[in-house]
Amino acid sequence: MRIEKFKIEEHNHSLLAEHKRKFDFVAAGIDNIESFIQKLIDFNVAIPSWALGTGGTRFGRFSGAGEPGSIEEKMEDVGLLHSLNQSSGAISLHIPWDIPENYSAIKNIAAQLGLKFDAVNSNTFQDQKDQQLSYKFGSLQHVNKDVRKQAIEHNIEVIKHGIELGSKALTVWLSDGSCFPGQLNFRKAFQNTLESLQEIYAALPADWKVFIEYKAYEPNFYSMTVGDWGQSLLYANKLGPKAYTLVDLGHHLPNANIEQIVSLLLMEGKLAGFHFNDSKYGDDDLTVGSIKPYQLFLIFNELVEGMDARGMNHAADLGWMIDASHNVKDPLEDLMQSVEAIMISYAQALLIDRKKLNEAQQNNDVVAAQEILQNTFRTDVRAIVAEARLRTGGALSPLQVFRQMKIREQLIKERGSRTIATGL
Ligand code: LRH
Ligand code: MN
């Protein structure tokens, strides 16, 4: 299904007066409001193809209804999101969960929906039914050269799919590691993984990047072979200029200072981008900004400071992706909330008075520095984010339109209540 533009215009008209009042109030205090809004308009977050259905835990999954049962329906759902918030103009495919059979048909649908193909993701953390050799004891790290070869070939196949679709990056996340002390020779596992990644790296087109995604642990694991930002950066530095470190917010040990990690990866020119989500304990893949919104703001503070220090293009020079799963929320409502949280944190980071903050830091005026950050964090920028949507044909309140138009109910009518989306 598609949302007719007039429906969104009707909705915006009904909220316009209230919106203008709020916008004029917050905009009054901002000098460069127009360039500010343009940055928000240019900023898009890619939606994961594996997070458009209901997820679950290893103990249970409570399936939703009207879920997309094919890659075409998944693109339709991302198209719905994008028509409502004008900030979700890309989809990130996970292969083999979402193998594009007919490239030109898929590209036509993407063009009609205004979608691009972001990074493609390989999967050597599951055994596929027609697979020769198992990844039970890892993939790129495996002690058996044939298993490594099989995993390398899969990654090269994923690159080929991405090239056909116009993607420019491969994301590699490995569940490789060990469950018990003594099970693995860490050095050999690292070297096997590096040699395997070098073969994958050699298959990258000149204008492509490879994103090495690290993760501290999975339940039941004693070690991960790409366990933290240091290990990922070691691989990325040894691989070469097309290799970068991808930061999934949920992949850290408790209380890790992620904003400091981001600052240093940016300084090194080795930050790939993000898998945005939020977590209370482990890799909970919860709605962005739902648990630690201040941390998200601090991360965007480092991003804006670090990107401007390197003269980077905010929208284009890093990979902006969501990686979440939905156990109790409607997947599309959850994703709308996540995109909104990202846009709010980015807008607040743009609002920080960098000159004043730098002065406070240079004068070791700790109180003033905190006041600058927290006053900005307590500034309600939602009307500015909404104004960016309004100017690009989006809805002032995407969630309100989604509910008022009973879009999930319409999708259930179209798809039935038993469709299951591949993915998490
Ligand atoms: C691993 C991960 C990775 C994806 C998977 C779906 O936890 O974050 O990015 O491959 O989720
Ligand atoms: Mn991830």
Side-chain angles (χ1 to χ4, degrees), residues 213 248 251 275 323:
E213 183 177 1
D248 184 311
H251 288 189
H275 277 182
D323 183 359

Side-chain angles (χ1 to χ4, degrees), residues 239-258:
L239 285 167
K242 291 189 278 188
Y244 298 79
T245 290
L246 180 82
V247 178
D248 184 311
L249 300 190
H251 288 189
H252 300 83
L253 294 173
N255 308 323
N257 188 326
I258 304 176

Side-chain angles (χ1 to χ4, degrees), residues 19-154:
H19 165 68
K20 279 298 171 207
R21 189 182 62 71
K22 289 180 179 163
F23 174 70
D24 294 346
F25 171 78
V26 67
I30 302 172
D31 304 346
N32 57 347
I33 186 69
E34 288 309 315
S35 69
F36 194 117
I37 292 171
Q38 191 54 50
K39 281 198 170 80
L40 295 175
I41 288 173
D42 298 341
F43 196 88
N44 264 248
V45 182
I47 305 296
S49 64
W50 60 91
L52 293 161
T54 306
T57 71
R58 58 186 172 157
F59 300 106
R61 182 176 183 281
F62 308 93
S63 62
E67 295 189 2
S70 66
I71 190 172
E72 291 80 4
E73 289 182 345
K74 288 186 176 194
M75 294 174 69
E76 200 182 308
D77 283 10
V78 177
L80 277 174
L81 280 176
H82 192 48
S83 62
L84 287 171
N85 63 25
Q86 293 298 323
S87 305
S88 311
I91 184 168
S92 178
L93 297 183
H94 216 300
I95 294 169
W97 289 338
D98 303 293
I99 295 186
E101 307 295 350
N102 176 333
Y103 297 125
S104 56
I106 294 284
K107 284 198 281 189
N108 286 342
I109 295 172
Q112 288 158 21
L113 297 169
L115 301 180
K116 292 195 186 72
F117 290 95
D118 207 290
V120 283
N121 301 263
S122 61
N123 176 344
T124 58
F125 49 84
Q126 293 170 325
D127 288 345
Q128 307 306 319
K129 59 184 180 325
D130 54 2
Q131 196 171 301
Q132 294 303 308
L133 302 165
S134 172
Y135 294 135
K136 178 175 180 178
F137 295 104
S139 60
L140 300 184
Q141 77 169 21
H142 205 289
V143 292
N144 175 337
K145 192 167 180 42
D146 297 332
V147 176
R148 301 200 298 272
K149 186 167 176 301
Q150 177 183 271
I152 292 164
E153 282 162 3
H154 164 69

